[in-house]
Each structure stands twice: as C-alpha cells, then as structure tokens.
Amino acid sequence: MISPAELFAPPGRRFSHSRRALLAAALLAAAIGSARAEERVFELAIHSDAPTAEPAVLTARQNDQVVIRLSSDKPLQVHLHGYDLEKDVVPNVVTALRVTVTATGRFPIEIHSKGPAKQRPVAYLEVRPR
Amino acid sequence: MRYDLPLPLGLWIIGAAGVIVLSFLIVAIAVRANASVAAPAQPNRVRWHVDNAVTRPNIRVFAQLFAVAALILIVVAGIIGDQTPTRNLAPTAVWIAWWVGFSYLSALVGNVWSLVNPWAAVFVWCERILSKPRAPRRAKIDWPRSLGVWPAVVLFIVFAWLELVWGGRSIPAQLAWLIVGFSVLTWTGMFIFGHGTWLTHVDPFALAFGVLSKFGPIDIRSEHGVCGTSAADNASDRDGYHGGAGSRWSWKLRPPGTGLLDTENMSLSLSVFVIVMLSTVTFDGVMATPVWQRIESALYVALPALGNSRVAIIDTVGLLVFCVAFMAVYRLFATLIAHACGNRITHDAASRAFVLTLVPIAIAYLVAHYLGYFLIQGQLLIRLVSDPFGFGWNIFGTAHFRPNIGIVGARFMWYTSLIAIVLGHIAAVFLAHVVALRRLNDPHLAIRSQIPMLVLMIAYTMLSLWIIAQPIVE
C-alpha cells in the first residue's frame, strides 16, 4: 500500500532524482566527450648517434590533446612540421611538446641540427579524422 | 613537405573495385553504342568563339608582362635573397605556383602557358623590335625532321631529375642560376631555329603543358594551328608559329578530354615524350613510399663503393629504370593491341594512336597526389609576395601569414582523390575505345584491340591508387 507520504512526496526529492539523472547524463557526456577528444601522451627518446631505422608513427584523432614527451642525449631542436612548433631539448630533461591537433594529416617530426645533412624524420604524427 | 594521410584500406578497396567494374561497364556500353560513338569524325566541340575577349592582344601582352616580371623577380630573389627555402620566393614560386599550378591550369582549363610563356614573349618582342618590318627574320638552321621532339624528351628527363633527385632544387640561388641557364639556352635555340620550332620540338615545358592541356575543356589556338603539341613536323611553321603579340588567337569550348582524340600528328618521339612524362610523375609518388625507401636503404648498405652521393645515384638510376620500364611495358601492350586486331595496325601505329588516352589517368593522379600539397604549401605565396627576398619586408601586409594546414581535411582529400582516379580511369577507357573505333572502323576488332589496353589502364590506375594508399616518407 502506498503511504500518503510517498504519494505526496515533497517535490524536492523527485527533483533530486532527476538531478541525479542529469548528473549521470552529464558524467556520461563527459566520458563520451573525453572519448571524443582525448589527451594522448607519447614518449619520444632521441639518440643522436644511433638514428632510428624506422621513424615512429604517433597516431591521434582530430581535436585530441597531444603531449609528446621528448628526451635526448644531446641538446637539439625538435620541429613538428605543419603545426610548425619547435622545442629545444636539453639532455636528461623531459620536455613536453603540447598541441591540440585540429588539422588532419601526417606531420613529420624532425630534428633541426646545425649539421649540413638533412635527416630523416624521427617520427610522424598522424592525425586521423573523426 | 606533404601532409597527406594515406588512403584507408576500405576506400582503397571501393576505388579498386569501382575501377574494375566500371571498366567492363564502359566496354559493355561501348559495344552497344559503338555506332553512335564512331559516327562523328570531329570531336563534338561546342563552338563558342570569344576571339576578341580573353585572347585579345592587349590583354595577352598584359599577362605576358606580368609573367616576365614574375620571372625576373624569381631570379633576383633566388640570387640575392635569403637562402632559407621557405623564406625565399623562388622555390615555392617555381615548384608549386608554376610547375604544379600550370599543370593543373593546363589539364583543367587549357593551354594558358602558351599565352603567357615569358621566354617566348621576350623573344618575340625583341624580334619585332630588332627586325625590319615586312621582312620577318628567318631561322638560321632548318629543324632536322628526323630529330622530331627527341631533344624535348632528353630535356624533360633532365628536368625530372632536377625536380626529383637534385639536392639544389630547393636552394634559391642554385634554382635561380638554373633558370638563367635555361633562359640562355632557350633564347639561343629560338634565335637559331626560330621560336615556333623551338617551342614545339625542344622546350619541354611548352610540350608538357601542351600535352596536359589537350584534356582541358578550353581549346586555345593561334590561327596557325594547335599550340604546344602536334603539328610538330611541319617545317613551314618555323616562323611566327607561336604567334607574336599581333597574331590572332581564339578559344573554343570542348568536352573535357576530347582534345586527346586528336592523334593525327603524333610522332614516335612525341609518344615517347608522353610516356616519359607519365613515368616521371608516377616515380615522384613511388619515391615517397616506404617500399622505395627500403630499396634505397638496402642498396645504400649494399653499395658502399659509390661514395657519399649514393642516394642521388640510386634515385637517378631508379628514375631512368622507371622511364625505360614504362616504355617497355607500353611497347609490349602496343604489340598486344596490334596482335589483338589482327595486325590491321602496326604496333608502332598502335603505340602512337593510344598514348594520349593514358593522359587522363596521369591527370587524375596529379590531382590525387598534389592537391593537398598545392593548397597547403601554396599558401606560402601569400606570405612570400610581401617579403620575396626574406629581408623582413612587408609590402602587402601579409608577411606574417600562417598557412592554414586544416584548409582541406583528410576526408575531403580521400574522396577527391578517389573520385578523380575513378573518373580519370573512365575517361581513359572511353577515349581509348573511341580511338580504336575510329582507327579500325570495325566494332568487333575495336573491342578486341581494347582488351590489352584495358588491362594496361587498370594496372596503371591501380599503381596510382596504391601510391596514394601509402604513407608518405620523404
């Protein structure tokens, strides 16, 4: 039997129910949202004497927050083409290159050194469309 | 620097399947409709003379003055400007605006280059000023007919090497001195042989843009004949062929691609020129694939005796092998075509008749491969016109413009590439069929002759599709 108390439950309680639902929906939306635009962290260790045979491919989706943690055994400058970002890297310190990847494409990451020889990219950042 | 994402597998399969299915569909339709296809002896041109509008002499002179000024600016910038490739006008203006830009203009509009060619313009102006009126200057030496367009074939291979292998291609000063050298060669050649002969037999760019422009919907002609290609071995066109400032030019609309049906004046050397063009364009793509990179690395390790310029040597050999392989394959298929139609035409005639029908596949590939590069790297020009020498100027206030790398997304590029490649293939198969019907005058023989051609075209299109499905490694 339904108690009058339940029948005439204060509106606030029902409201709190729906508010909980709203909160859940918001959390879910946030979860989906974060699935849509994630933060992606990559480690990129550069050994200047032993160039990697195959450049690494870092894959992200459009609008992701990309963090590339750069480390090197020598001081050098790392250049992300396209987005045209440069970071100076010093030995034994991890330097983070952060970028929100709004444009799709395959962007080479190169080392800019004073040497005359053009080096192959150390990695490619592939930003795929959603 | 190109930022294209490789074509995904799913789209690759759709494209490949589409190409094969549509090929057979076109043949099936052509079998039924052969009578109507074979009927018009002339391509179905929409005749629309606008003689006195765009090709009006004074407008042309204005365009030519602009082209000459641009040429001078590029050379001066290259020599005195900052030598960082992206801070100097020369590399971007030459490789993107001129080479890719005019290839697109030729293929999708018409032979605009023949109207504005600054070398021809300067030569004609000088000739008009220096020669006596009523007595047009004669060429010093008649062009030996047996030479055909072979010099242009050689120069085009040299150009392809400079574009694809040469380390100095993006160094402004080296590029500028190369342009100076080409100018001296061009004007000397024009002086000796007459500028019309030079443009139709030796100048690789006049010929290349001429070949591509046969696909274009606008047929630009001087009153003396078709510009750029064909009419090649006609000795009487020695003087005034490419029209001075006063000569009459006209333009007509035509269905895209129908200019490629005009194979009457195809010489053997010109057909080789076309194959060389197609092979170098494809080799450009192949060089950026991981497969080529692996071949390069393997040979680099295997051949230490070649010294420090090993990569350049390997690439040079690769370029030449690619050219020769393309020619050998095409020649083999020309022989198969001759066999398939019971030797009604010789394999020589077959190779001359069908070579232009491969051009739409190359144009489709040009669109697929360079459009993203053209749209993104081309934006550098907005910055460079304000500061052509890299001296920190800001003439038009655009010196700090940052290229928008998101101007076209990967999805747009994928669909554009795929549609271009499928459409190019359809156009090629269709045109080859029309050529076969006209040449053989027998629908059954025409169909039979087209079986080898269809195999060749499918293979060529698949090669293009395969390249754009590869991640670019440069």
Side-chain angles (χ1 to χ4, degrees), chain B residues 418-443:
Chain B
L418 208 63
I419 290 168
I421 284 182
V422 173
L423 286 181
H425 184 81
I426 293 172
V429 172
F430 179 76
L431 290 173
H433 198 86
V434 175
V435 170
L437 283 170
R438 285 191 189 169
R439 276 296 167 107
L440 298 165
N441 231 345
D442 176 338

Side-chain angles (χ1 to χ4, degrees), chain B residues 255-343:
Chain B
T258 47
L260 295 166
L261 294 171
D262 178 24
T263 58
E264 298 303 315
N265 294 307
M266 235 19 223
S267 60
L268 176 68
S269 52
L270 194 52
S271 71
V272 170
F273 182 87
V274 174
I275 293 292
V276 165
M277 256 178 84
L278 305 188
S279 67
T280 57
V281 165
T282 305
F283 185 66
D284 182 17
V286 167
M287 276 177 87
T289 62
V291 170
W292 179 254
Q293 195 111 50
R294 276 196 284 277
I295 294 173
E296 214 177 36
S297 309
L299 290 173
Y300 188 89
V301 174
L303 302 167
L306 293 175
N308 286 333
S309 48
R310 265 176 285 181
V311 173
I313 295 171
I314 294 163
D315 287 350
T316 306
V317 173
L319 175 67
L320 294 175
V321 166
F322 223 75
C323 281
V324 172
F326 255 60
M327 275 187 263
V329 169
Y330 183 65
R331 199 130 185 95
L332 170 71
F333 275 89
T335 313
L336 291 176
I337 291 168
H339 271 294
C341 60
N343 290 319

Side-chain angles (χ1 to χ4, degrees), chain B residues 151-164:
Chain B
V153 173
V154 173
L155 282 182
F156 193 87
I157 293 174
V158 171
F159 169 73
W161 183 85
L162 293 167
E163 183 203 2
L164 304 176

Side-chain angles (χ1 to χ4, degrees), chain B residues 209-257:
Chain B
F209 293 136
V211 167
L212 290 174
S213 72
K214 282 171 171 279
F215 184 82
I218 299 178
D219 183 13
I220 300 172
R221 287 161 184 262
S222 77
E223 62 181 12
H224 300 281
V226 188
C227 299
T229 58
S230 76
D233 295 320
N234 185 358
S236 67
D237 64 16
R238 212 167 41 230
D239 294 307
Y241 173 79
H242 251 254
S247 71
R248 291 265 312 270
W249 289 69
S250 66
W251 60 294
K252 289 175 200 152
L253 280 181
R254 62 185 174 195

Side-chain angles (χ1 to χ4, degrees), chain B residues 315-387:
Chain B
D315 287 350
T316 306
V317 173
L319 175 67
L320 294 175
V321 166
F322 223 75
C323 281
V324 172
F326 255 60
M327 275 187 263
V329 169
Y330 183 65
R331 199 130 185 95
L332 170 71
F333 275 89
T335 313
L336 291 176
I337 291 168
H339 271 294
C341 60
N343 290 319
R344 278 271 289 272
I345 49 173
T346 62
H347 71 277
D348 238 28
S351 77
R352 280 183 276 129
F354 292 106
V355 71
L356 283 178
T357 63
L358 292 167
V359 170
I361 301 178
I363 289 171
Y365 175 73
L366 276 178
V367 171
H369 195 62
Y370 288 108
L371 189 60
Y373 172 71
F374 181 70
L375 292 177
I376 292 171
Q377 299 297 321
Q379 294 178 55
L380 284 174
L381 280 177
I382 298 173
R383 186 164 83 196
L384 291 166
V385 289
S386 272
D387 187 14

Side-chain angles (χ1 to χ4, degrees), chain A residues 81-84 103-108 110 118 120-121 124 126-130, chain B residues 1-6 293 297 402 405-406 408-411 414 471-474:
Chain A
H81 280 269
Y83 288 92
D84 211 16
T104 52
R106 182 175 155 92
F107 304 99
E110 278 181 352
K118 189 183 173 292
R120 276 176 60 185
Y124 288 94
E126 276 195 4
V127 182
R128 301 201 176 142
R130 289 201 172 272
Chain B
M1 199 57 81
R2 277 202 296 262
Y3 307 137
D4 306 71
L5 275 177
Q293 195 111 50
S297 309
R402 278 176 70 92
I405 52 170
V408 286
R411 225 181 274 282
W414 288 338
I472 289 168
V473 281
E474 281 186 323

